[in-house]
Amino acid sequence: NETKPLNTPPPNHRTEYSCFIYLFLYSLVSSSPLTPGSSGQHPLVQNQTVTEGRTAIMTCRVEYNDQTSLQWSNPTQQTLFFGNKKALRDNRIELVRASWSELTISISEITLADEGMYTCSLFTMPVKTAKAYLTVLGVPEKPEIDGLTKPALEGDEITLTCMTHGSKPAANLRWFRNEKEIKGAKEVNASGKTFTVTSSLQLLVDRDDDGAAYTCKVDHVSLLQTPQQTTEVLEVHYAPRALITQSLTFPQEGQYLKLECVSKGNPSPDPVLWTKDGGELPDLERMIVQGRELTFSALNKTDNGTYRCVASNHLGTSSAEYILYVYDPNAMGQRGPDHALIGGVVAVVVFVTLCLIIFLGRYLARHKGTYLTNEAKGADDAPDADTAIINAEGNTHAEGKKEYFI
């Protein structure tokens, strides 16, 4: 049997021995004196940011290189590549480009554990290094909404909670009600390298919330193209409210009339109950009930009265009333009584206004004429204006009874 030398390593350990050789060369070159021309050689790198699960590209360049080797090492100072030689057995790490002026490697399926400071070394004497920080973004999980009770009752106070895990940096949660943004209370908790973000929304449930869509959306730098969101539709049960609408404003004898009981509630209050003057409907041949509608095929004076509809569900009861008065078409004429009354009121207002204008005009004109007459009389024998006014005041009592104005 042939005996193998003891210093021959097994074939599957060649990579590990190569690493040791590279490290030995590294330490040897580092302790060597500076060679001429190496002072102008500097490795150039850039910080990188990559989303978890994707691929990071790490590039190291040298502008002036005299055929000196380049090396990439990870945050734990493990050599990844020495020139074009792979030193670490990791299938995720691949060589992209290797030359005297550039060493580029790729790391696929990036995890949060890959984050840290990577070093590019240029084996001059002494060795020159450049450091690039690899930032890994943690992708937040799809948010979950808790606290939604189905169905909720009108008047209840509920708290909706939205939560997402695994974001780095911490994600932002936004609430929307039917696509309109509303504000919630945010809370952030660290969990290792990632964050758990929670946002709560307090609601006082109203009937208008029935069918409303509440959406929780995650905003994060890693989700620029594919935002994460969850939507829940709120179902609210509430007591009905009844209202009667009519098809005619002034119903007349012989006309067709439809009354509708508009009752909105959840669950739906079907069917509704119609009564007249507190009792049952008297003439079911002309008064037809279909669902929420009460129709009269041909009105007459006997239909006058108070009609009520009652709507109910398990949360409550509501009713509405309508007073029906059937008009005589012959008595109403071409124009309704309201038009005649309005016309009479307008005529009276116009007449009173004209009388006030005429009286005020006559009053002002009379006083103005009296003043001018007295001033003229005082100016007959007066040498100046002051004397004219004094003479006019003295003659007021003597001449006052002789002045008239028509």
Side-chain angles (χ1 to χ4, degrees), residues 48-58 75 80 90 92-93 105-116 118 134-139 168 193:
Q48 299 293 325
T49 299
V50 64
T51 302
E52 184 180 12
R54 297 186 180 179
T55 301
I57 304 296
M58 308 296 293
L80 303 180
D90 189 337
R92 301 180 303 129
I93 304 174
I105 64 174
S106 66
I107 307 174
S108 60
E109 299 179 6
I110 284 288
T111 66
L112 295 176
D114 295 320
E115 184 175 80
Y118 287 73
L134 176 62
T135 301
V136 180
L137 302 177
V139 181
K168 177 183 172 296
K193 291 186 177 182

Side-chain angles (χ1 to χ4, degrees), residues 76-393:
T76 61
Q77 295 306 311
Q78 292 177 309
T79 301
L80 303 180
F81 267 89
F82 186 86
N84 60 356
K85 302 297 183 180
K86 187 174 183 179
L88 185 66
R89 291 193 303 175
D90 189 337
N91 295 331
R92 301 180 303 129
I93 304 174
E94 298 290 341
L95 179 65
V96 178
R97 187 178 296 105
S99 66
W100 296 117
S101 61
E102 178 183 343
L103 178 59
T104 300
I105 64 174
S106 66
I107 307 174
S108 60
E109 299 179 6
I110 284 288
T111 66
L112 295 176
D114 295 320
E115 184 175 80
M117 192 74 72
Y118 287 73
T119 304
C120 176
S121 302
L122 176 64
F123 282 89
T124 57
M125 292 180 289
V127 175
K128 295 180 180 179
T129 61
K131 296 183 181 295
Y133 196 89
L134 176 62
T135 301
V136 180
L137 302 177
V139 181
E141 298 177 3
K142 186 176 181 179
E144 298 179 355
I145 297 178
D146 294 326
L148 188 65
T149 57
K150 291 186 177 182
L153 300 181
E154 184 179 24
D156 286 351
E157 293 184 4
I158 63 174
T159 300
L160 300 182
T161 302
C162 179
M163 181 179 296
T164 180
H165 305 275
S167 61
K168 177 183 172 296
N172 184 40
L173 295 178
R174 299 163 62 194
W175 283 101
F176 294 86
R177 182 186 185 275
N178 294 336
E179 299 183 356
K180 181 179 180 181
E181 187 169 0
I182 53 180
K183 189 175 182 179
K186 180 181 176 182
E187 181 180 349
V188 179
N189 294 308
S191 177
K193 291 186 177 182
T194 62
F195 296 89
T196 297
V197 184
T198 305
S199 181
S200 58
L201 188 65
Q202 293 185 345
L203 300 175
L204 179 60
V205 180
D206 184 76
R207 63 180 57 209
D208 293 334
D209 290 318
D210 186 35
Y214 285 86
T215 301
C216 179
K217 181 179 180 181
V218 180
D219 285 342
H220 195 260
V221 64
S222 66
L223 300 174
L224 297 179
Q225 298 180 350
T226 55
Q228 296 274 29
Q229 65 183 38
T230 299
T231 300
E232 293 285 353
V233 178
L234 187 59
E235 180 183 359
V236 181
H237 282 189
Y238 52 92
R241 292 177 183 173
L243 175 68
I244 296 178
T245 61
Q246 69 276 5
S247 60
L248 298 175
T249 305
F250 299 102
Q252 303 177 24
E253 285 186 285
Q255 288 184 331
Y256 171 86
L257 175 66
K258 181 177 71 174
L259 302 180
E260 182 178 0
C261 183
V262 180
S263 54
K264 185 178 180 181
N266 192 13
S268 180
D270 290 325
V272 298
L273 177 63
W274 284 97
T275 60
K276 178 188 177 183
D277 297 330
E280 297 181 354
L281 299 177
D283 190 350
L284 296 180
E285 293 184 358
R286 289 186 309 105
M287 303 178 183
I288 302 174
V289 177
Q290 291 181 340
R292 301 182 181 185
E293 297 179 355
L294 172 60
T295 58
F296 299 81
S297 57
L299 290 172
N300 59 48
K301 288 290 185 178
T302 61
D303 295 328
N304 291 342
T306 301
Y307 292 82
R308 170 179 291 187
C309 76
V310 180
S312 302
N313 62 17
H314 70 280
L315 296 175
T317 300
S318 178
S319 63
E321 291 185 349
Y322 171 75
I323 299 176
L324 174 61
Y325 180 80
V326 180
Y327 290 89
D328 185 353
N330 298 324
M332 293 188 65
Q334 297 297 325
R335 298 178 61 185
D338 292 341
H339 297 287
L341 179 61
I342 294 174
V345 172
V346 171
V348 171
V349 172
V350 172
F351 176 75
V352 172
T353 303
L354 291 176
C355 290
L356 289 175
I357 293 174
I358 294 173
F359 176 77
L360 183 61
R362 290 174 61 87
Y363 176 79
L364 294 176
R366 180 175 181 181
H367 281 268
K368 181 178 180 181
T370 303
Y371 172 77
L372 294 175
T373 302
N374 288 338
E375 183 180 356
K377 287 183 178 182
D380 291 341
D381 301 325
D384 52 25
D386 294 338
T387 305
I389 294 175
I390 295 173
N391 293 340
E393 292 178 353

